[in-house]
Amino acid sequence: MKLLRLKINDEKGFRSLNKDFEIKFQNGFNDSQPNDFYPYVLAGQNGSGKSNVLEALAEIFYHLDCIYVRYKPENFDQSDENPDGFNPSISRINEYELEYYTFLDKDIFLNEDKTKKAHISIIKTKHSRPEIKWINENEFRDISQLSQQQAKSLLPKYVVGYASGNNETLSFPFIKSRFLQFDEYLSTLASKEFVSPAAETSLVYLDEVYSQAILLTNLLMLDGINDNDENDLLAPFKDNVGVEDVDTFRLIIRSDIRIFPPKNSNSTEDEKDIRLIQNLDLKIPEQRPNLTSYIEKLKSCATTWYTDYLSEFDDILLNNEANYLYLDFKVNKATKEAFQFHFEKDPLKLFELFQLLMLQDAYKVSSERKNNIYTTQNIFLNQDINFIPEEQERILRFKDFKIKKEGIDKGIFTKELSDGEHQLLHTLGLCLLYKEQRCLFLFDEPETHFNPDWKAKFITSIRNCFKDNTPKCEMLITTHSPYLISDSDKKHVRMFKKNIKDSNKITSNPPSFQTLGSSINKITIEIFGANITIGDYALSKLEKINERFKEGENPEVLLNELDEQLGDSVEKTLLKYKIDS
């Protein structure tokens, strides 16, 4: 998809975004759309509203998900018995306008042109449900009423959120969406049928908990298995961090947890509780010999596997017997061939299995607590819920994950990587996983732990992840880094400012100067309002020397002190010129 504009019409605004706030993309609707991928960089001082744009988009698409998903938990919708339930006409942003381009889903629109861009408008007015309009539908077919399934397919397939600083307000709708996905899976348990790990909902919040799953999936599924293949998809990993390959890893899956299916499922009176991972570990029906359960797929890829009771938690679980499946992998070419065969050479299929297994940790959350989460307006949701249970109670754990790194003879644990290395592998890994999807990426300050060199290369590294694809994605990045701005054309930068006369009003416009190739100093001054290029303490030393010069102290002594005490800067050069003239 490609965003065109977002306007907040709600009388109360949204967060720091005032009523009538509007952000425009694409510099108008008539621009030709290049096949090259570029992210939009949202920049500005702290509190200028840039992160609130990400939050607004996440909230809008969560609300639309709740309208169009087929499965909803019991008592989810508003009713006389549940007055606080979901209401399609009420959202945290009750009035807005959103426009974007998207591509048609080939499985939903069978006869329409899939190479042309569909122009979509979503308008929500107060006390009304959002209205989805296909503006250029007549260019594809005769105008007709959109079905529920068609309307949902015009929304992004995935909305991927990531915040390096654990932005709890951004994660708010994503956390709710996680429980929707979990309840969707629970609803299938009683059916005892194979289920796809892919969620019906679109929101995916992938914080640092998913880092190992992201890295492992990319290294297993994107590495060329033929010696003659020129496959450089993993070049961003290798060039920046020096990660060359997977060495070993272990998966531990707890398989004994039992749970009651939802009351509205097809469960019978005789079937009171069901094994949580049942539908991922079904026995193969004789009439479907070519079908393999997801747990069997993992076993088929493993170097060795076994089941064990209690094991490493003997002291903890003496009175509560637990059953674990251990899968050990010594990775070589055959291992990758097995994973790529069983998961159809689609990295997302493997990653979504990991994601679903990790999501099942939500079994520890009571139904009452889940219902409160669905209805709460407390934006600090993470403070109220321990989503990750104790280690021995988790459904999936990654252990002994070692990688081969350039310049190191033996494998190292991924935990030995620095915060910046984890962050870079995480963000670029997400790009590689979702690069072929109709996806909206919402990245909140993803470069905070990078060194200056990585910050300078980050936009290029992202673009390289999409270079061989006609982009179906959109990406918004909030940042305080002038390096990301210097590597972006001004038409891809939005500068956020509070109105001088009215601090409650926020503007978002392209900068007045060409940002691509501009110096860090110019960007720091023009966009972040920092009129100095050195630190405050160093500046105070310059000011003291300037005062001494005004008082008539010996210029030669002052010039010597400047050179001895301070490094080169614009401020120092100007003061030296003043003293020496």
Side-chain angles (χ1 to χ4, degrees), residues 4 28 40 85 127 206 211 234 297 301 308 314 321 421 557:
L4 295 175
Y40 277 93
H127 305 310
L206 298 170
S211 287
L234 295 176
K297 289 176 188 286
C301 298
D308 193 15
D314 285 358
E321 192 173 83
E421 289 174 319
V557 172

Side-chain angles (χ1 to χ4, degrees), residues 404-422:
K404 297 175 183 177
K405 193 176 181 186
E406 184 181 4
I408 301 176
D409 294 335
K410 61 180 181 179
I412 65 168
F413 290 108
T414 54
K415 292 182 179 179
E416 297 180 55
L417 295 172
S418 70
D419 288 345
E421 289 174 319
H422 276 295

